[in-house]
Amino acid sequence: MLQIKADIIGKEEVMPGVFNLIIVSPEISRNARPGQFVHVLCPSGDGFMLRRPFSIHRVVPGRAFEILFQVVGKGTEALSRVKIHDTLDIIGPLGTGFKYSEDIKSALLIAGGLGAAPLLFLAEELVERQVLFYPMLGYKTKTQMLRYIDFKRLGKKTYAATEDGSFGHEGTVVDLLNRTVHNIRPEIIYACGPVGMLKKISETADEFGIECQVSLETKMACGIGVCLGCACVTRQGYKMACKDGPVFDTRDILWGAEDYEKGRASGCGCDNEAPPETDSAG
Amino acid sequence: MKNPVMPASGTFGAGREYSELMDINRLGALVAKTVTLKPRDGNIPPRLCEVSSGMLNSIGLQNEGIDHFLKHDFPFMKEFDVPVIINIAGNSLEEYAQLCREIDRVEGVSGIELNISCPNIKAGGIAFGASSKLAEQVTAAARYNTQLPLIVKLTPNVYNISKIARAVTSAGADAISLINTMVGMSIDTNTFKPNLGNITGGLSGPAIKPIAVRMVWEVAQSVKIPIIGIGGISNALDAVEFFLAGATAVAVGTANFINPLTMTDIISGLEAYLVDKGFTDIGQIIGKVKT
């Protein structure tokens, strides 16, 4: 974990309201593992002050890393206005990341909308480790197919669902999973997206006895395990998304508990880095 | 103390995480996160909500209890060349007393801070800090059970803070720290639900700084014991305001989350401020507000 002032060397609006930044940091790019995040001090403005957590989207080994984000509040709005060669104050890499055993042979990566952010880094890692994997991507519509081409290039066979049926399966990525999982038979599922989608995926994983890891989104203050603000309810009690997660094994997560629903219902309303649930193909 | 700057309890843990990002040995003191007699799970999430120039939290004093703290956290803290203050909270007078007895026996503790101002727990906490009678009783109970310097942390959620300050002073407090967070609430306009699982929470950050400065100033008029000023301090000039109002030291809370270097920046900034204004010692500006 480091606090750095890092240069932005690339910025792209990959689709309206969704931005990709390339940020120079040999240290973070070298040490980061898929599923970890960085805590970014967004350029100050309009009454907000806390850092914002972003999954590490991709690394240029030994040189730079990327974050992919959607403008959903004041913090991301300010971040979307940065320019190439601006510097950002960043703490990272943080969190635990996805776990994979050495002998794993096949994986299913399920992303809902912006959930593609941590999973593309994982996909690149799995290619490196020669693990066969199947990307399964859920989108609202054909024009919002975030990182579809990248996953298609890396995965064995790529599945896609759009809510309006404009591309691939018509419906949600969860429907698509339920229709195809018995054919794919992955050893492990990795997923990121809206919490409702993750819960349903974990139910399917349970039913088929497949290990499942998900990256959870929560509000954070410190991002390093001090403030205990980003608690998630697990079978082992409260766990902190910033330090114990953000990746959790779904067997540990208490989704059904009323407390958990209450806890996860909406986030803050003032700013939310996750795509709102209605915005992605969960 | 090397300087009058320390973390506010609960915003720095035991210093373990921040020690990777900043030099703890530069601090005036280390203040541990509140510890209770028994472990506490803390409150239902969401526990955080950012609001204009501040944040609401309802952590609920999640901690592993005093035994775990003394075994695992305190040994880490006392390795630094910095005084260590242990912050405690109880559900009853007897719990405060017992915690003081246990800590009093421990080698290397520089002081105890009584948290009688947490707004996020059902029993104890703020209930002790909102009544001058209870505040006096809990301070007296602690005083009876420890020889260590005793700091009492006050809540701003009261009408007459000076009355509470006088009560704890007469019961034997050696210093007062203020303010803890203000009780607040935020509502999601889409779901109509509160943004915190606990419905209400404690407001901290720059939003509460003017309230804190006012309360430090009022308390400084009422009691002679040292005051640790807390509330929205983010930079050296914020700290200067508290010294001018009458604080003899300051603690930094929410700003640590935003920039882990805040406290060391404030320490350097205060030195520069004193030189710039022609002072040689921070004591020369304490309580010097011209009213």
Side-chain angles (χ1 to χ4, degrees):
Chain A
M1 164 169 74
L2 289 167
Q3 182 178 6
I4 55 164
K5 297 261 198 296
D7 283 343
I8 298 165
I9 52 165
K11 178 186 175 183
E12 184 194 358
E13 186 165 10
V14 295
M15 60 183 231
V18 177
F19 293 84
N20 188 76
L21 296 181
I22 307 174
I23 300 162
V24 178
S25 172
E27 301 88 352
I28 290 178
S29 68
R30 205 177 301 123
N31 297 324
R33 296 192 314 279
Q36 287 191 300
F37 69 97
V38 288
H39 215 24
V40 179
L41 193 58
C42 300
S44 64
D46 206 16
F48 73 92
M49 47 173 209
L50 295 176
R51 286 171 185 266
R52 300 292 193 264
F54 298 98
S55 293
I56 296 170
H57 178 46
R58 200 147 53 176
V59 298
V60 183
R63 177 135 196 272
F65 67 93
E66 298 178 30
I67 59 174
L68 181 73
F69 65 95
Q70 183 169 28
V71 175
V72 287
K74 291 174 183 171
T76 43
E77 166 67 34
L79 192 61
S80 74
R81 288 194 300 265
V82 296
K83 297 185 188 70
I84 289 179
H85 302 312
D86 284 356
T87 61
L88 286 173
D89 182 325
I90 291 170
I91 299 174
L94 300 171
T96 49
F98 295 104
K99 294 173 194 72
Y100 20 74
S101 58
E102 288 300 321
D103 54 354
I104 168 184
K105 288 186 186 62
S106 69
L108 180 60
L109 274 57
I110 309 176
L114 258 284
L119 293 179
L120 190 60
F121 186 10
L122 177 66
E124 293 186 337
E125 175 75 19
L126 294 178
V127 167
E128 195 96 333
R129 288 170 173 262
Q130 300 180 318
V131 175
L132 278 186
F133 68 92
Y134 304 86
M136 186 173 281
L137 310 163
Y139 303 108
K140 244 185 143 161
T141 183
K142 194 166 102 177
T143 54
Q144 298 179 8
M145 292 183 39
L146 206 54
R147 295 296 183 238
Y148 174 78
I149 301 294
D150 304 81
F151 279 110
K152 194 170 161 53
R153 183 170 55 81
L154 299 168
K156 178 163 169 63
K157 181 181 175 190
T158 300
Y159 297 81
T162 51
E163 281 178 19
D164 63 359
S166 53
F167 188 90
H169 172 79
E170 178 176 350
T172 68
V173 76
V174 174
D175 300 336
L176 182 56
L177 169 70
N178 290 336
R179 279 163 180 257
T180 52
V181 67
H182 57 276
N183 289 330
I184 304 173
R185 298 205 161 274
E187 283 174 55
I188 185 163
I189 295 173
Y190 298 104
C192 185
V195 69
M197 166 192 132
L198 298 180
K199 184 186 171 190
K200 286 178 191 154
I201 291 171
S202 79
E203 287 163 3
T204 301
D206 253 5
E207 196 183 316
F208 287 85
I210 303 166
E211 186 186 341
C212 182
Q213 294 176 24
V214 297
S215 176
L216 294 181
E217 180 92 25
T218 60
K219 298 289 169 194
M220 290 181 188
C222 73
I224 63 172
V226 171
C227 71
L228 310 186
C230 59
C232 300
V233 189
T234 76
R235 287 181 205 287
Q236 294 85 38
Y238 290 126
K239 294 282 180 192
M240 298 305 139
C242 72
K243 200 170 183 178
D244 306 311
V247 176
F248 291 93
D249 188 312
T250 52
R251 285 168 297 196
D252 294 333
I253 299 173
L254 288 178
W255 308 95
E258 204 187 318
D259 282 358
Y260 191 68
E261 287 303 319
K262 195 176 168 190
R264 289 289 307 166
S266 65
C268 184
C270 22
D271 204 339
N272 189 346
E273 308 310 342
E277 293 207 31
T278 48
D279 270 12
S280 60
Chain B
M1 291 198 329
K2 285 172 234 180
N3 61 66
V5 181
M6 64 190 86
S9 176
T11 66
F12 208 67
R16 202 173 264 117
E17 294 80 9
Y18 281 117
S19 70
E20 292 185 41
L21 300 171
M22 50 88 69
D23 182 4
I24 287 182
N25 283 321
R26 284 194 62 199
L27 300 178
L30 262 178
V31 184
K33 176 171 168 62
T34 297
V35 61
T36 51
L37 207 51
K38 302 231 166 64
R40 286 183 60 94
D41 291 340
N43 288 341
I44 295 169
R47 293 176 172 184
L48 290 176
C49 174
E50 185 168 14
V51 295
S52 296
S53 302
M55 70 176 235
L56 289 167
N57 85 79
S58 70
I59 311 300
L61 300 185
Q62 178 175 341
N63 80 97
E64 306 275 358
I66 185 71
D67 293 342
H68 183 276
F69 172 82
L70 291 176
K71 206 169 164 195
H72 298 282
D73 294 327
F74 181 67
F76 175 84
M77 298 178 84
K78 75 172 184 188
E79 285 307 305
F80 296 96
D81 182 25
V82 168
V84 176
I85 294 163
I86 300 180
N87 179 300
I88 61 170
N91 293 323
S92 62
L93 291 179
E94 178 43 37
E95 283 193 11
Y96 280 99
Q98 194 179 334
L99 283 160
C100 285
R101 275 197 298 277
E102 290 194 25
I103 294 165
D104 199 60
R105 288 196 292 261
V106 177
E107 197 74 19
V109 182
S110 294
I112 297 176
E113 183 175 54
L114 298 186
N115 179 356
I116 58 167
S117 43
C118 177
N120 295 323
I121 59 173
K122 286 194 177 66
I126 202 167
F128 287 104
S131 143
S132 57
K133 196 172 158 218
L134 286 175
E136 187 171 350
Q137 285 176 359
V138 71
T139 307
R143 178 75 291 163
Y144 184 77
N145 286 285
T146 182
Q147 304 291 316
L148 289 164
L150 191 62
I151 304 162
V152 182
K153 185 164 180 178
L154 302 187
T155 172
N157 301 289
V158 294
Y159 174 67
N160 189 341
I161 190 107
S162 297
K163 193 176 165 192
I164 312 275
R166 283 193 297 269
V168 303
T169 305
S170 70
D174 296 304
I176 288 171
S177 53
L178 76 160
I179 58 176
N180 204 319
T181 55
M182 297 283 302
V183 179
M185 183 171 174
S186 167
I187 301 169
D188 186 316
T189 52
N190 289 317
T191 63
F192 293 17
K193 287 181 176 177
N195 282 319
L196 294 175
N198 193 45
I199 303 175
T200 62
L203 177 62
S204 64
I208 66 167
K209 199 191 82 183
I211 298 167
V213 172
R214 184 265 294 179
M215 288 189 160
V216 165
W217 176 70
E218 283 183 1
V219 169
Q221 315 298 303
S222 314
V223 299
K224 297 229 153 32
I225 60 175
I227 297 167
I228 301 168
I230 314 171
I233 298 172
S234 312
N235 56 51
L237 293 183
D238 289 343
V240 167
E241 276 195 67
F242 280 83
F243 291 116
L244 292 171
T248 47
V250 293
V252 176
T254 304
N256 292 319
F257 302 149
I258 300 159
N259 182 6
L261 302 177
T262 302
M263 290 188 288
T264 46
D265 286 353
I266 289 175
I267 292 163
S268 311
L270 282 176
E271 284 167 10
Y273 174 86
L274 292 177
V275 170
D276 185 49
K277 298 288 177 190
F279 297 112
T280 52
D281 187 276
I282 196 81
Q284 291 172 289
I285 66 166
I286 291 173
K288 291 297 162 63
V289 58
K290 296 174 181 170
T291 50

